[in-house]
Amino acid sequence: MSIWKYANPTQFMRTTRWLLPWLSALAIMSVGTGLIWGFFFTPDDFRQGSTVKIIYLHVPSALMAINAWLMMLVASLIWLIRRHHVSALLARAAAPVGLVMTLIALITGGIWGEPMWGTYWAWDPRLTSFLILFLFYLGYIALWQAVETQDTAADLTSVLCLVGSVFALLSRYAVNFWNQGLHQGTSVPVATGGRTVADVFFIPLAISMAGFALMFVVLVLLRTRTEIRARRLQALLARERAAS
């Protein structure tokens, strides 16, 4: 069975129709469990007090903001190489979701940073690269809207996605590159498998992260289905105009 069969819009619509209800239920349960457990059933940190509980929003949203762009990168490369329209629509559908995740991460990071650093914002390497990533999201969405020809828009936004991926990776690893930044290192480093978060905080955090990932997948699939329907409607209207 080839994965490329899902590049067919009909097959994509058929598969996601039965998949979405299950993914949606898992996403709602995971996000709800992670946030309720984290905010209401975990103790205050001995240094940060109750402020630490914003981690259950900040870390999952920041993680998905970066991974959303990387997912867009993969989809854009598939479009450029194989010209599969569903991949281009997946990238387009993911951009607004990634934009919202980035905004949540910036806002919650400022709220968390003020009592820790004494300021809501600092030109820290990770914060700055994250802000630039936010601007890339805005530019990506605007470029899709500005170009009328869909294939041309997909080409241009794919190139923009390639450039923006530098900042997606930079925002992820900036602390490792510049040790003088205010932002702490990653609490849950995937590459090494180590972590600095106690189990009492980590378990609900992991559930929340899984929930945000599922929520991202659900939203992207829903938006992609909407994009496919919009393309089909445009095609039908074009045929009607040509016939008349």
Side-chain angles (χ1 to χ4, degrees):
M1 182 182 296
S2 174
I3 192 175
W4 301 116
K5 71 175 185 177
Y6 297 105
N8 182 294
T10 301
Q11 181 63 41
F12 178 87
M13 295 292 282
R14 184 183 302 117
T15 303
T16 55
R17 185 182 301 115
W18 67 263
L19 188 61
L20 271 170
W22 297 99
L23 289 177
S24 300
L26 285 174
I28 292 171
M29 288 189 295
S30 300
V31 171
T33 300
L35 294 183
I36 292 173
W37 186 351
F39 278 102
F40 298 104
F41 297 100
T42 56
D44 294 347
D45 183 70
F46 75 101
R47 288 181 179 174
Q48 302 183 37
S50 61
T51 309
V52 73
K53 296 186 179 184
I54 205 168
I55 193 175
Y56 303 109
L57 273 176
H58 177 70
V59 172
S61 59
L63 181 67
M64 292 317 304
I66 298 168
N67 288 336
W69 191 276
L70 296 181
M71 171 260 162
M72 290 162 56
L73 170 64
V74 173
S76 297
L77 288 173
I78 293 173
W79 162 254
L80 290 174
I81 296 170
R82 300 188 68 104
R83 312 303 285 183
H84 288 320
H85 284 85
V86 171
S87 62
L89 295 180
L90 278 168
R92 182 177 185 177
V97 184
L99 176 71
V100 172
M101 292 291 183
T102 308
L103 184 60
I104 293 173
L106 287 170
I107 293 173
T108 54
I111 295 172
W112 194 3
E114 199 281 330
M116 298 299 104
W117 305 337
T119 180
Y120 288 103
W121 180 262
W123 293 103
D124 175 270
R126 176 171 285 187
L127 299 183
T128 303
S129 58
F130 221 81
L131 177 61
I132 295 173
L133 178 62
F134 177 76
L135 297 177
F136 266 100
Y137 270 118
L138 288 176
Y140 182 93
I141 295 170
L143 187 57
W144 262 111
Q145 298 296 327
V147 181
E148 293 185 4
T149 306
Q150 296 296 314
D151 285 1
T152 303
D155 289 336
L156 294 175
T157 53
S158 294
V159 174
L160 179 63
C161 191
L162 293 175
V163 177
S165 297
V166 174
F167 292 95
L169 292 172
L170 193 61
S171 63
R172 174 66 179 82
Y173 297 105
V175 173
N176 300 332
F177 297 153
W178 294 285
N179 293 325
Q180 70 270 26
L182 286 175
H183 199 288
Q184 69 181 53
T186 303
S187 299
V188 190
V190 177
T192 61
R195 55 184 168 87
T196 59
V197 180
D199 286 343
V200 67
F201 298 112
F202 175 74
I203 295 174
L205 174 60
I207 295 173
S208 184
M209 291 165 65
F212 269 67
L214 287 168
M215 181 173 62
F216 170 76
V217 172
V218 168
L219 292 174
V220 170
L221 292 180
L222 285 172
R223 286 184 52 81
T224 304
R225 287 172 61 87
T226 302
E227 293 285 350
I228 291 173
R229 289 193 180 102
R231 288 283 185 97
R232 288 175 173 175
L233 180 59
Q234 290 173 0
L236 288 172
L237 292 175
R239 288 197 197 102
E240 289 184 1
R241 286 194 295 267
S244 60

